[in-house]
Amino acid sequence: MSSLARHYLEKGYLTPRQMNAARSNLYKYVGQLESVGGVEPLENKTIERKKRAEPEKKVVMVKYQKTQALAMKITFPYNPELVAKVKTLEGRRFHNESPKNKYWTAPLTEENYKKVVEWGFEVDDNLREWYKKMTTAIEADESIEVSGLKMELFPFQKQGVAFIESRNGRALIADQMGLGKTAQALAWLQLHPELRPAIIVVPASVKLNWKREAEMWMKEPNVQVLNGKKPVVPIVGDMVIINYDILESWLEVLKSINPKVLVLDESHYCKNPKTKRTKAVKQLAKQVPHLIALTGTPVVNRPVEAFPVLNMLQPSMFSSFWHYAHRYCGAKKGYWGWDFTGATNTEELHEKLTKSVMIRRLKEDVLPELPSKIYSMVPMALDNEKEYRRAEEDFIEWLAEQDPDKAARARNAEALARIEALKQLTIKGKLGMCIEWIRDFLDSNGKLVVFCTHKHTIDELMKEFGNIAVKVDGSVGKEARLEAVDWFQTKDEVRLFIGNVKAAGVGLTLTAASSVVFLELPWTPGDLQQAEDRIHRIGQKASSVNVYYLIAENSIEEEIANLLDEKRKVLAQVLDGQMVDESSLLSELLNKYRKNSV
């Protein structure tokens, strides 16, 4: 219009073509001309008709077509001032589908919602209901109920499930390790049996544990665990568990089954956007409507590492890495380029995340709801499966051939030696995966106490973690033991205590950690309890501790662990404190194997 005005002022007339252009555009400016004052618009039916046809200032709730994430669709008559305001909405985008279908979209966040209401937009009922849920704290007695679960969720876990539901199945559960993020994700899947298939991507060290957890929480889940880099088997499970390392090889097969839910356990595995695993996850996430990310690592520690997952969860809100990095990652330009490893505006980022996609609880936040000790058996796969099975079969055959008249003491001594050989094979076959589990733990948590029974196992762990670990076994003198404990208790850089169950299981205080893991098992539940109590003592910062057993699946370890668990339950009911002796446990173990030899 400005060019038409200049032409008129210079020439004193408009051409027929220019007149038509002026008529067709004039209705856009009627409101502005009226607001100037003293300017009366021409009586023109075309202008009035077009004015009446203009959309009102409305905002409705929609879903992004690809990701199904919630969004706002914003329509209004053209107004430069309003356009300028809408451009301040985070993640806003203009859509010009046709001359009669122009609108804006923006992610559905509390901040965006507040702005459009403040600007006088009419919001629909769905939006109002969403905002009410968004700003109302989810109390324990008002939290969501999940029917069909085989076990009861803690109240804070129910809140986590309710949070996922309130975010339309696109959420980041950032609870501290040991608070049951796995259970919360499985409960939401139980809540929505229609959303299948579901793909669960996990570290290799917990792949079997996810299957075990699904079977513990859900009734007859159809779970399929994928192995190997060659996709040679068809996808038949409703819930498919796969580890990050092989995802790229299975990517096209998984995309072809049109998954409805993607769960990323230890989602900080995707912190580097350049790795193959992150690229594969991002490709899969693009076509999945619901995404649940689980990690115990607070994003405020290194915000740059959180961006890939946030981008997958809310691609409209976290679309620009450049903007995110300069706002939250302490961007600095150095000699070799930009450095984004810092952290800035962390409180703002935390508030932004908790109002959009993240829920995070620490142990101290939910202590009243937790038992004093939380036990977890984590199954480990053997990488020497054939060797172990041969040895186990030989043991069963030997048992079947034993002369019942042979002296019990001599027979038990030989049986004990053969069982010890089987135990040695289990630690040999699972040690690599145990090391990976420990490394994953240390990536996202504080300190850890590890108990073993064999010197060889302790030495292998020290080779892997010696720069951040101390050890106490039979080879460590009294003064060196005290020094090792003191370093673990007081030095931040010492994150791992590795001990022999006998040598380090009594008399030491290791309260700097709130988690203990057993790689190998002793023969008596009393030894187990003594070792556990090294961290569960007066002065322990966390009143609830996590006890993990890394057990070789379908092995003699599993039999011993089950028997120890039964004995411990009996011990808890015995008032005179009598301990269960080794011979009792051994005889029950032999009886179990004799049944297999029949």
Coordinates of all heavy atoms in Angstrom, one line a residue, residues 227-299:
N227 N 18.3 -59.6 20.5 CA 19.7 -59.8 20.7 C 20.4 -59.9 19.4 O 19.8 -60.2 18.3 CB 20.0 -61.1 21.5 CG 19.5 -61.1 22.9 OD1 19.8 -60.3 23.7 ND2 18.5 -62.0 23.2
G228 N 21.7 -59.5 19.4 CA 22.5 -59.6 18.1 C 22.3 -58.4 17.2 O 21.2 -57.8 17.2
K229 N 23.2 -58.2 16.3 CA 23.2 -57.1 15.4 C 22.5 -57.5 14.0 O 22.3 -56.6 13.2 CB 24.6 -56.6 15.1 CG 25.2 -55.9 16.3 CD 26.5 -55.1 16.0 CE 27.0 -54.3 17.2 NZ 28.2 -53.6 16.8
K230 N 22.2 -58.8 13.9 CA 21.5 -59.2 12.7 C 20.0 -59.4 13.0 O 19.7 -60.4 13.8 CB 22.1 -60.4 12.1 CG 23.5 -60.2 11.5 CD 24.0 -61.4 10.8 CE 25.4 -61.1 10.2 NZ 26.0 -62.3 9.6
P231 N 19.1 -58.7 12.4 CA 17.7 -58.9 12.7 C 17.1 -60.1 12.0 O 16.5 -60.0 10.9 CB 17.0 -57.6 12.2 CG 18.0 -57.1 11.1 CD 19.3 -57.5 11.6
V232 N 17.4 -61.2 12.6 CA 17.0 -62.5 12.0 C 15.7 -63.1 12.5 O 15.2 -64.1 11.9 CB 18.1 -63.6 12.2 CG1 19.4 -63.2 11.5 CG2 18.4 -63.7 13.7
V233 N 15.1 -62.5 13.5 CA 13.8 -63.0 14.0 C 12.7 -61.9 13.8 O 13.0 -60.7 13.8 CB 13.9 -63.3 15.5 CG1 14.9 -64.4 15.8 CG2 14.3 -62.1 16.3
P234 N 11.5 -62.4 13.6 CA 10.4 -61.4 13.4 C 10.0 -60.7 14.7 O 10.2 -61.3 15.8 CB 9.2 -62.3 12.9 CG 9.5 -63.6 13.4 CD 11.0 -63.8 13.4
I235 N 9.4 -59.6 14.7 CA 9.0 -58.9 15.9 C 7.6 -59.4 16.2 O 6.6 -59.2 15.5 CB 8.9 -57.4 15.7 CG1 10.3 -56.8 15.3 CG2 8.5 -56.7 17.0 CD1 11.4 -57.0 16.3
V236 N 7.5 -60.1 17.3 CA 6.2 -60.7 17.7 C 5.7 -60.2 19.1 O 4.6 -60.5 19.5 CB 6.3 -62.3 17.7 CG1 6.5 -62.8 16.3 CG2 7.4 -62.7 18.7
G237 N 6.5 -59.5 19.8 CA 6.2 -59.0 21.1 C 5.4 -57.7 21.1 O 5.6 -56.9 20.2
D238 N 4.5 -57.5 22.1 CA 3.8 -56.3 22.3 C 4.8 -55.2 22.9 O 4.7 -54.0 22.7 CB 2.6 -56.4 23.1 CG 1.5 -57.2 22.4 OD1 1.4 -57.1 21.2 OD2 0.7 -57.9 23.1
M239 N 5.7 -55.8 23.7 CA 6.7 -54.9 24.4 C 8.1 -55.5 23.9 O 8.4 -56.6 24.3 CB 6.6 -54.9 25.9 CG 5.3 -54.3 26.3 SD 4.9 -54.6 28.1 CE 6.4 -54.0 28.9
V240 N 8.8 -54.7 23.2 CA 10.1 -55.1 22.6 C 11.2 -54.4 23.3 O 11.3 -53.2 23.4 CB 10.2 -54.8 21.1 CG1 11.5 -55.3 20.5 CG2 9.0 -55.5 20.4
I241 N 12.1 -55.2 23.9 CA 13.3 -54.7 24.7 C 14.5 -54.9 23.9 O 14.9 -56.0 23.4 CB 13.4 -55.4 26.0 CG1 12.1 -55.2 26.9 CG2 14.6 -54.8 26.8 CD1 12.1 -56.0 28.1
I242 N 15.3 -53.8 23.7 CA 16.5 -53.8 22.9 C 17.5 -52.9 23.5 O 17.2 -51.9 24.1 CB 16.2 -53.4 21.4 CG1 17.5 -53.5 20.5 CG2 15.6 -52.0 21.3 CD1 17.2 -53.4 19.0
N243 N 18.8 -53.2 23.4 CA 19.8 -52.4 24.0 C 20.3 -51.3 22.9 O 20.3 -51.6 21.7 CB 21.0 -53.2 24.5 CG 21.6 -54.2 23.6 OD1 20.9 -55.0 23.1 ND2 22.9 -54.0 23.3
Y244 N 20.9 -50.2 23.4 CA 21.3 -49.1 22.6 C 22.3 -49.6 21.5 O 22.3 -49.1 20.4 CB 21.9 -48.0 23.4 CG 20.9 -47.2 24.2 CD1 20.7 -47.5 25.6 CD2 20.2 -46.1 23.6 CE1 19.8 -46.7 26.3 CE2 19.3 -45.4 24.4 CZ 19.1 -45.7 25.7 OH 18.2 -44.9 26.4
D245 N 23.2 -50.5 21.9 CA 24.3 -50.8 21.0 C 23.9 -51.5 19.7 O 24.6 -51.5 18.7 CB 25.3 -51.7 21.8 CG 25.8 -51.1 23.0 OD1 26.0 -49.9 23.0 OD2 26.1 -51.8 24.0
I246 N 22.7 -52.1 19.7 CA 22.3 -52.8 18.5 C 21.1 -52.2 17.8 O 20.6 -52.7 16.8 CB 22.0 -54.3 18.8 CG1 20.8 -54.5 19.7 CG2 23.2 -55.0 19.4 CD1 20.3 -55.9 19.9
L247 N 20.7 -51.1 18.4 CA 19.4 -50.4 17.8 C 19.6 -50.1 16.4 O 18.6 -50.2 15.6 CB 19.1 -49.2 18.7 CG 17.9 -48.4 18.2 CD1 16.6 -49.2 18.4 CD2 17.7 -47.1 19.0
E248 N 20.7 -49.5 16.0 CA 20.9 -49.1 14.6 C 20.6 -50.2 13.6 O 20.0 -50.1 12.6 CB 22.3 -48.5 14.4 CG 22.5 -48.0 13.0 CD 24.0 -47.5 12.8 OE1 24.9 -48.1 13.4 OE2 24.2 -46.6 11.9
S249 N 21.1 -51.4 14.0 CA 20.9 -52.6 13.1 C 19.5 -53.0 12.9 O 19.1 -53.5 11.9 CB 21.7 -53.8 13.6 OG 23.1 -53.4 13.7
W250 N 18.7 -52.8 14.0 CA 17.3 -53.2 14.0 C 16.3 -52.1 13.6 O 15.1 -52.2 13.6 CB 16.9 -53.7 15.4 CG 17.5 -55.0 15.7 CD1 18.7 -55.3 16.2 CD2 16.8 -56.3 15.6 NE1 18.9 -56.6 16.4 CE2 17.7 -57.3 16.1 CE3 15.5 -56.7 15.2 CZ2 17.4 -58.6 16.1 CZ3 15.2 -58.1 15.3 CH2 16.1 -59.0 15.7
L251 N 16.9 -50.9 13.3 CA 16.0 -49.7 13.2 C 14.9 -49.8 12.2 O 13.8 -49.5 12.5 CB 16.9 -48.5 12.8 CG 16.2 -47.1 12.8 CD1 15.6 -46.8 14.1 CD2 17.2 -46.0 12.4
E252 N 15.2 -50.3 11.0 CA 14.2 -50.3 9.9 C 13.1 -51.4 10.3 O 11.9 -51.1 10.0 CB 14.9 -50.7 8.6 CG 15.8 -49.6 8.0 CD 15.1 -48.2 8.0 OE1 13.9 -48.2 7.5 OE2 15.7 -47.3 8.4
V253 N 13.5 -52.5 10.9 CA 12.5 -53.5 11.3 C 11.6 -52.9 12.4 O 10.4 -53.1 12.3 CB 13.2 -54.7 11.9 CG1 12.2 -55.7 12.4 CG2 14.1 -55.3 10.8
L254 N 12.2 -52.2 13.3 CA 11.3 -51.6 14.4 C 10.4 -50.5 13.8 O 9.3 -50.4 14.3 CB 12.2 -51.0 15.5 CG 13.0 -52.0 16.3 CD1 14.0 -51.3 17.3 CD2 12.1 -53.0 17.0
K255 N 10.9 -49.7 12.9 CA 10.1 -48.6 12.3 C 8.9 -49.2 11.6 O 7.8 -48.7 11.5 CB 10.9 -47.8 11.4 CG 11.8 -46.8 12.2 CD 12.9 -46.2 11.3 CE 12.3 -45.3 10.3 NZ 13.4 -44.6 9.5
S256 N 9.1 -50.4 11.0 CA 8.1 -51.0 10.1 C 6.9 -51.5 10.9 O 5.8 -51.7 10.4 CB 8.7 -52.2 9.3 OG 9.0 -53.3 10.2
I257 N 7.0 -51.7 12.2 CA 5.9 -52.2 13.0 C 5.1 -51.1 13.6 O 4.1 -51.3 14.4 CB 6.4 -53.1 14.2 CG1 7.3 -52.4 15.2 CG2 7.1 -54.3 13.6 CD1 7.6 -53.2 16.4
N258 N 5.4 -49.8 13.3 CA 4.7 -48.6 13.8 C 4.5 -48.6 15.3 O 3.3 -48.7 15.8 CB 3.3 -48.5 13.0 CG 3.5 -48.4 11.6 OD1 4.3 -47.6 11.1 ND2 2.7 -49.1 10.8
P259 N 5.6 -48.5 16.0 CA 5.4 -48.5 17.5 C 4.7 -47.3 18.0 O 4.8 -46.2 17.4 CB 6.9 -48.5 18.0 CG 7.7 -47.9 16.8 CD 7.0 -48.4 15.6
K260 N 3.9 -47.4 19.1 CA 3.1 -46.4 19.6 C 3.8 -45.7 20.8 O 3.5 -44.5 21.1 CB 1.8 -46.9 20.1 CG 1.0 -47.6 19.0 CD 0.6 -46.7 17.9 CE -0.3 -47.3 16.9 NZ 0.3 -48.5 16.2
V261 N 4.7 -46.4 21.5 CA 5.4 -45.9 22.6 C 6.9 -46.2 22.5 O 7.3 -47.3 22.1 CB 4.9 -46.4 24.0 CG1 5.6 -45.8 25.2 CG2 3.4 -46.3 24.1
L262 N 7.7 -45.2 22.9 CA 9.2 -45.5 23.0 C 9.6 -45.1 24.4 O 9.4 -44.0 24.8 CB 9.9 -44.6 21.9 CG 11.4 -44.7 21.9 CD1 11.9 -46.1 21.7 CD2 12.0 -43.7 20.9
V263 N 10.2 -46.0 25.1 CA 10.8 -45.8 26.4 C 12.3 -45.8 26.3 O 12.9 -46.8 25.8 CB 10.3 -46.9 27.4 CG1 10.9 -46.6 28.8 CG2 8.8 -46.9 27.5
L264 N 12.9 -44.8 26.8 CA 14.4 -44.7 26.8 C 14.9 -44.8 28.2 O 14.8 -43.8 29.0 CB 14.9 -43.4 26.2 CG 14.4 -43.1 24.7 CD1 14.9 -41.7 24.3 CD2 14.9 -44.2 23.8
D265 N 15.4 -45.9 28.6 CA 16.0 -46.1 30.0 C 17.4 -45.5 30.0 O 18.1 -45.7 29.0 CB 16.0 -47.6 30.4 CG 16.4 -47.7 31.8 OD1 16.2 -46.8 32.6 OD2 16.9 -48.8 32.2
E266 N 17.8 -44.9 31.1 CA 19.1 -44.2 31.1 C 19.3 -43.3 29.9 O 20.2 -43.5 29.1 CB 20.2 -45.2 31.2 CG 20.1 -46.2 32.4 CD 20.2 -45.6 33.8 OE1 20.5 -44.3 33.8 OE2 19.9 -46.2 34.8
S267 N 18.3 -42.5 29.7 CA 18.3 -41.7 28.4 C 19.5 -40.8 28.2 O 19.7 -40.3 27.1 CB 17.0 -40.8 28.4 OG 17.0 -39.9 29.5
H268 N 20.3 -40.6 29.3 CA 21.6 -39.8 29.1 C 22.5 -40.6 28.2 O 23.6 -40.0 27.8 CB 22.2 -39.6 30.4 CG 22.5 -40.8 31.3 ND1 21.6 -41.3 32.2 CD2 23.6 -41.6 31.3 CE1 22.1 -42.4 32.7 NE2 23.3 -42.6 32.2
Y269 N 22.2 -41.8 27.8 CA 23.0 -42.5 26.8 C 22.9 -41.8 25.4 O 23.8 -42.0 24.6 CB 22.5 -43.9 26.6 CG 23.2 -45.0 27.4 CD1 23.4 -44.9 28.7 CD2 23.7 -46.1 26.7 CE1 24.1 -45.8 29.4 CE2 24.4 -47.1 27.5 CZ 24.5 -47.0 28.8 OH 25.2 -47.9 29.5
C270 N 21.9 -40.9 25.3 CA 21.7 -40.1 24.1 C 22.3 -38.7 24.2 O 21.8 -37.8 23.5 CB 20.3 -40.1 23.7 SG 19.5 -41.7 23.4
K271 N 23.2 -38.5 25.1 CA 23.7 -37.1 25.3 C 24.5 -36.6 24.2 O 24.6 -35.4 24.1 CB 24.5 -37.1 26.6 CG 25.7 -37.9 26.7 CD 26.4 -37.9 28.0 CE 27.6 -38.8 28.1 NZ 28.2 -38.9 29.5
N272 N 25.1 -37.4 23.4 CA 26.0 -37.0 22.3 C 25.2 -37.1 21.0 O 25.0 -38.2 20.5 CB 27.3 -37.7 22.3 CG 28.3 -37.2 21.2 OD1 27.9 -36.4 20.4 ND2 29.5 -37.6 21.3
P273 N 24.9 -36.0 20.3 CA 24.1 -36.1 19.1 C 24.8 -36.7 17.9 O 24.2 -37.0 16.9 CB 23.7 -34.6 18.8 CG 24.7 -33.8 19.5 CD 25.1 -34.6 20.7
K274 N 26.1 -36.8 18.1 CA 26.9 -37.3 16.9 C 27.1 -38.8 16.9 O 27.5 -39.4 15.9 CB 28.3 -36.7 17.0 CG 28.3 -35.2 16.7 CD 29.7 -34.6 16.8 CE 29.6 -33.0 16.6 NZ 31.0 -32.4 16.6
T275 N 26.7 -39.5 18.0 CA 26.9 -41.0 18.1 C 25.9 -41.7 17.3 O 24.7 -41.2 17.1 CB 26.9 -41.5 19.6 OG1 25.6 -41.1 20.1 CG2 28.0 -40.8 20.4
K276 N 26.2 -42.9 16.9 CA 25.2 -43.7 16.1 C 24.0 -44.0 16.9 O 22.9 -44.0 16.4 CB 25.9 -45.0 15.6 CG 27.0 -44.8 14.5 CD 27.6 -46.1 14.1 CE 28.6 -45.9 13.0 NZ 29.2 -47.2 12.6
R277 N 24.2 -44.3 18.2 CA 23.0 -44.7 19.0 C 22.0 -43.5 19.1 O 20.8 -43.7 19.0 CB 23.5 -45.1 20.4 CG 24.0 -44.0 21.3 CD 24.1 -44.5 22.8 NE 25.1 -45.5 22.9 CZ 26.0 -45.6 23.9 NH1 26.0 -44.6 24.8 NH2 26.8 -46.6 24.0
T278 N 22.5 -42.3 19.3 CA 21.6 -41.1 19.4 C 20.9 -40.9 18.1 O 19.7 -40.6 18.1 CB 22.4 -39.9 19.8 OG1 23.1 -40.1 21.1 CG2 21.5 -38.7 20.0
K279 N 21.6 -41.0 17.0 CA 21.0 -40.8 15.7 C 19.9 -41.8 15.4 O 18.9 -41.5 14.9 CB 22.1 -40.8 14.6 CG 23.0 -39.7 14.6 CD 24.1 -39.8 13.5 CE 25.1 -38.6 13.5 NZ 26.2 -38.8 12.5
A280 N 20.2 -43.1 15.8 CA 19.2 -44.1 15.6 C 18.0 -43.9 16.5 O 16.8 -44.0 16.0 CB 19.8 -45.5 16.0
V281 N 18.2 -43.5 17.7 CA 17.0 -43.2 18.6 C 16.2 -42.1 18.1 O 15.0 -42.1 18.1 CB 17.5 -42.9 20.1 CG1 16.4 -42.3 20.9 CG2 18.1 -44.1 20.7
K282 N 16.9 -41.0 17.6 CA 16.1 -39.9 17.1 C 15.3 -40.2 15.8 O 14.2 -39.8 15.7 CB 17.1 -38.7 16.7 CG 17.8 -38.1 17.9 CD 18.5 -36.8 17.5 CE 17.5 -35.7 17.2 NZ 18.2 -34.4 17.0
Q283 N 15.9 -41.1 15.0 CA 15.1 -41.5 13.8 C 13.8 -42.3 14.2 O 12.8 -42.1 13.7 CB 16.0 -42.4 12.9 CG 17.0 -41.7 12.1 CD 17.6 -42.6 11.1 OE1 16.9 -43.3 10.3 NE2 18.9 -42.6 11.0
L284 N 14.0 -43.2 15.2 CA 12.8 -43.9 15.7 C 11.8 -43.0 16.4 O 10.6 -43.2 16.2 CB 13.3 -45.0 16.7 CG 12.3 -46.0 17.2 CD1 11.6 -46.8 16.0 CD2 13.0 -47.0 18.1
A285 N 12.3 -42.1 17.2 CA 11.4 -41.2 18.0 C 10.6 -40.3 17.1 O 9.5 -39.9 17.5 CB 12.3 -40.3 18.9
K286 N 11.0 -40.0 15.9 CA 10.3 -39.1 15.0 C 8.9 -39.6 14.7 O 8.0 -38.8 14.4 CB 11.1 -38.9 13.7 CG 12.2 -37.9 13.8 CD 13.0 -37.7 12.5 CE 14.2 -36.8 12.6 NZ 14.9 -36.7 11.4
Q287 N 8.7 -40.9 14.6 CA 7.4 -41.5 14.2 C 6.7 -42.1 15.3 O 5.6 -42.7 15.1 CB 7.6 -42.5 13.1 CG 8.3 -43.8 13.5 CD 8.4 -44.8 12.4 OE1 9.0 -44.6 11.4 NE2 7.7 -45.9 12.5
V288 N 7.1 -41.9 16.6 CA 6.4 -42.5 17.7 C 5.7 -41.4 18.5 O 6.3 -40.5 18.9 CB 7.5 -43.2 18.7 CG1 6.7 -43.9 19.8 CG2 8.2 -44.3 17.9
P289 N 4.4 -41.6 18.7 CA 3.6 -40.5 19.3 C 3.9 -40.3 20.8 O 3.7 -39.2 21.3 CB 2.1 -41.0 19.1 CG 2.2 -42.4 18.8 CD 3.5 -42.7 18.2
H290 N 4.3 -41.4 21.5 CA 4.5 -41.3 23.0 C 5.9 -41.7 23.3 O 6.4 -42.7 22.9 CB 3.5 -42.1 23.7 CG 2.1 -41.9 23.4 ND1 1.4 -40.8 23.8 CD2 1.2 -42.5 22.5 CE1 0.2 -40.8 23.3 NE2 0.0 -41.8 22.6
L291 N 6.6 -40.8 24.1 CA 8.0 -41.0 24.4 C 8.2 -40.8 25.9 O 7.9 -39.7 26.4 CB 8.9 -40.0 23.6 CG 10.4 -40.0 24.0 CD1 11.0 -41.3 23.8 CD2 11.1 -38.9 23.1
I292 N 8.8 -41.8 26.6 CA 9.1 -41.6 28.0 C 10.6 -41.8 28.2 O 11.1 -42.9 27.9 CB 8.3 -42.7 28.9 CG1 6.8 -42.6 28.6 CG2 8.6 -42.6 30.3 CD1 6.0 -43.7 29.2
A293 N 11.2 -40.8 28.8 CA 12.7 -40.9 29.0 C 12.9 -41.0 30.5 O 12.3 -40.4 31.3 CB 13.3 -39.6 28.5
L294 N 13.8 -41.9 30.9 CA 14.1 -42.2 32.3 C 15.6 -42.0 32.5 O 16.5 -42.5 31.8 CB 13.8 -43.6 32.6 CG 12.4 -44.2 32.2 CD1 12.3 -45.7 32.5 CD2 11.3 -43.4 32.9
T295 N 16.0 -41.1 33.5 CA 17.4 -40.9 33.9 C 17.4 -40.4 35.3 O 16.6 -39.6 35.6 CB 18.1 -40.0 32.9 OG1 19.4 -39.8 33.3 CG2 17.4 -38.7 32.8
G296 N 18.4 -40.8 36.0 CA 18.7 -40.2 37.3 C 19.6 -39.0 37.3 O 19.9 -38.5 38.4
T297 N 20.1 -38.7 36.1 CA 21.1 -37.6 36.0 C 20.4 -36.3 35.9 O 19.7 -36.0 35.0 CB 22.0 -37.8 34.8 OG1 22.6 -39.1 34.8 CG2 23.1 -36.8 34.7
P298 N 20.6 -35.4 36.9 CA 20.0 -34.0 36.8 C 20.5 -33.3 35.6 O 21.8 -33.2 35.4 CB 20.4 -33.4 38.1 CG 20.9 -34.5 39.0 CD 21.5 -35.5 38.1
V299 N 19.7 -32.7 34.8 CA 20.1 -32.0 33.6 C 20.8 -30.7 33.9 O 21.5 -30.2 33.1 CB 18.9 -31.7 32.7 CG1 18.3 -33.0 32.1 CG2 17.8 -30.9 33.4

